[in-house]
Amino acid sequence: MRSNLLGVALIALIIPFAAQAQLSNDVSGDAVRIGVLTDMAGVTADVTGKGSLVAAEMAVREIGGTVLGKPVQVISADHQHKPDIGTGIARQWFDVEGVDAIVDVPNSGVALAIQGLAREKKRIVLYSGAGTTALTNEQCSPFGVHWTYDTYAVSHGTASAVVKAGGTSWFFLAADYAFGQQLQKDASNVIVAAGGKVLGGVRHPLNTPDFSSFLLTAQSSGAKVIGVANAGNDTINAMKQANEYGIVKGGQSLAAMILFLQDIHTLGLEAAQGTYLTTASYWDMNEATRAWSKEFMSKTGMPPSMLHAGVYGAVRHYLKAVTKAGTDDAEKVAAAMREVPIDDVFSQDAKLREDGRVTRTMYLARVKKPSESKYPWDYLEIVRPIPPEETVWPLAESKCPLVKGTSR
């Protein structure tokens, strides 16, 4: 009788543990699938694209290639900077291919379209390439994580530094889509708050080859500073053509609201020297970043942009959250992402807020003169770290309904 009771007691103990074990390995489709939705051939391909795919794969290998005993699979696609194509890919991934999380998504218009779909489907999206603050304000989602930067961060870092250096009157050359418009707006607010003036602006189509009319308008404005509010090849072409037109030699300065390492490489230090920029990371910061970047360079031929570093960090953190949650269920993983510490080599003082924004230390940097560069890709001097409270939208002003005390 006693042995029977002991057996019953053991079964009673085993069943809950078995149920817990089943829950802790609740992975849909017997794999965790991550989709890198990026720009493989467009204006931001150098700073996202193949490098973003490599960064995601490196994060997966770093955690051993599996979570909860299931393989982690990474796929990729090119959204071509078109919201309809991007949402079509994402819908196929969610509905047919069982993708659990999407990462990168350069282009704010595409990102906002994906945000709505992912909210409806209850899937995680980790934005590294998109810049619009709407992702954590009006269009915030419990499943959306704005990982690397936004227009508020880069404009506050760069515009304030240029105004303090004497660049008190501005004219903007901005890309005519959500990212460029928001970047111009955010930078303008900083400039005016710092005592400067914005004399006007012009907007250009995405991926335009000819900036002549836009630059001549900016030149005739008489502004001390021409703010370049675009990205990728558009930034490169605008700055190259500005030099060809003698705008800088004529006494006006250029201020790139967002400038990547790869842009500087293409421009050359002679053309880019002295330009201030704000970045979330830099490959040559310390031994840990250099070691990681060495492996990345062996696969891509270049160091990581801050967007590549962001993809790596976001994927790593997502997989750690899946492990903590014991499932790939989006609601449980989203909660775990806010509990698990962010600890990759490129993230300092980083935390995930309730609105989906990752707050982090950013860096004000200056492009080196050719004589200051000592080895390949030695392009930036870090002027100062910028603490998170200077570069993130204050929660007290949030328009995100997920933030306590706010409403639509």
Side-chain angles (χ1 to χ4, degrees):
M1 180 67 177
R2 184 176 180 181
S3 61
N4 288 340
L5 288 174
L6 181 59
V8 170
L10 286 172
I11 291 170
L13 287 170
I14 290 168
I15 289 174
F17 280 116
Q20 184 178 1
Q22 185 176 2
L23 287 173
S24 67
N25 287 281
D26 182 15
V27 175
S28 59
D30 286 327
V32 174
R33 296 183 176 88
I34 297 170
V36 180
L37 188 58
T38 190
D39 169 17
M40 288 293 187
V43 295
T44 57
D46 285 348
V47 297
T48 60
K50 177 186 175 183
S52 292
L53 176 59
V54 168
E57 291 171 340
M58 286 176 65
V60 171
R61 284 196 299 274
E62 197 170 287
I63 57 91
T66 65
V67 290
L68 303 176
K70 304 295 182 181
V72 180
Q73 300 172 351
V74 180
I75 61 175
S76 66
D78 186 346
H79 60 45
Q80 301 176 43
H81 290 277
K82 297 178 180 178
D84 58 337
I85 292 178
T87 51
I89 293 168
R91 192 178 297 276
Q92 170 75 15
W93 280 356
F94 291 154
D95 293 347
V96 179
E97 299 185 41
V99 167
D100 298 290
I102 289 176
V103 66
D104 200 9
V105 202
N107 187 297
S108 292
V110 177
L112 289 171
I114 298 297
Q115 183 89 317
L117 178 64
R119 187 190 298 111
E120 172 194 337
K121 300 289 185 180
K122 295 186 177 181
R123 301 294 173 90
I124 300 289
V125 187
L126 310 163
Y127 302 101
S128 183
T132 178
T133 55
L135 289 168
T136 52
N137 270 295
E138 301 91 339
Q139 301 300 319
C140 71
S141 164
F143 309 108
V145 177
H146 209 169
W147 187 268
T148 305
Y149 84 107
D150 61 19
T151 56
Y152 186 97
V154 293
S155 60
H156 275 66
T158 304
S160 61
V162 174
V163 173
K164 288 176 183 177
T168 53
S169 62
W170 290 60
F171 188 92
F172 277 94
L173 176 64
D176 193 13
Y177 67 103
F179 171 77
Q181 295 163 14
Q182 188 69 52
L183 196 54
Q184 178 180 346
K185 180 181 177 182
D186 289 343
S188 296
N189 290 340
V190 175
I191 293 160
V192 172
K197 295 181 179 179
V198 178
L199 305 182
V202 289
R203 291 178 177 168
H204 66 83
L206 180 69
N207 204 20
T208 184
D210 185 5
F211 284 88
S212 57
S213 64
F214 306 113
L215 288 168
L216 289 172
T217 301
Q219 188 177 37
S220 65
S221 72
K224 292 181 179 179
V225 181
I226 298 173
V228 182
N230 49 26
N233 289 345
D234 282 338
T235 303
I236 293 167
N237 289 333
M239 292 182 69
K240 275 185 175 179
Q241 290 174 40
N243 280 307
E244 291 168 3
Y245 279 98
I247 287 177
V248 176
K249 289 181 180 178
Q252 291 173 296
S253 299
L254 298 177
M257 293 297 94
I258 185 165
L259 189 67
F260 297 101
L261 199 65
Q262 288 77 4
D263 302 336
I264 298 166
H265 185 74
T266 301
L267 281 165
L269 291 181
E270 189 67 39
Q273 62 181 307
T275 303
Y276 284 98
L277 61 112
T278 301
T279 184
S281 63
Y282 181 45
W283 76 274
D284 202 16
M285 190 78 72
N286 53 51
E287 288 301 323
T289 59
R290 283 189 283 272
W292 191 93
S293 299
K294 182 178 180 181
E295 180 181 350
F296 183 89
M297 289 178 71
S298 71
K299 301 176 186 301
T300 64
M302 61 182 176
S305 71
M306 72 170 179
L307 305 185
H308 297 144
V311 168
Y312 157 75
V315 170
R316 174 188 166 91
H317 188 69
Y318 168 75
L319 294 174
K320 289 181 67 177
V322 170
T323 300
K324 178 175 177 59
T327 177
D328 59 357
D329 175 81
E331 291 181 332
K332 294 178 181 178
V333 173
M337 289 187 75
R338 287 165 171 81
E339 299 172 3
V340 175
I342 297 173
D343 68 347
D344 68 89
V345 297
F346 294 105
S347 297
Q348 301 298 319
D349 302 319
K351 297 178 181 178
L352 176 55
R353 298 196 311 192
E354 55 264 50
D355 61 353
R357 181 71 167 93
V358 171
T359 67
R360 62 173 65 249
T361 297
M362 303 285 285
Y363 301 92
L364 179 66
R366 181 187 63 83
V367 179
K368 290 184 174 182
K369 298 176 183 178
S371 60
E372 296 172 328
S373 180
K374 304 304 181 185
Y375 42 86
W377 297 95
D378 176 28
Y379 294 160
L380 297 182
E381 172 196 353
I382 301 300
V383 177
R384 70 177 180 96
I386 310 173
E389 57 268 23
E390 292 185 26
T391 59
V392 293
W393 195 294
L395 278 180
E397 300 173 12
S398 177
K399 300 173 185 176
C400 171
L402 300 174
V403 177
K404 187 177 181 180
T406 63
S407 60
R408 286 193 179 275

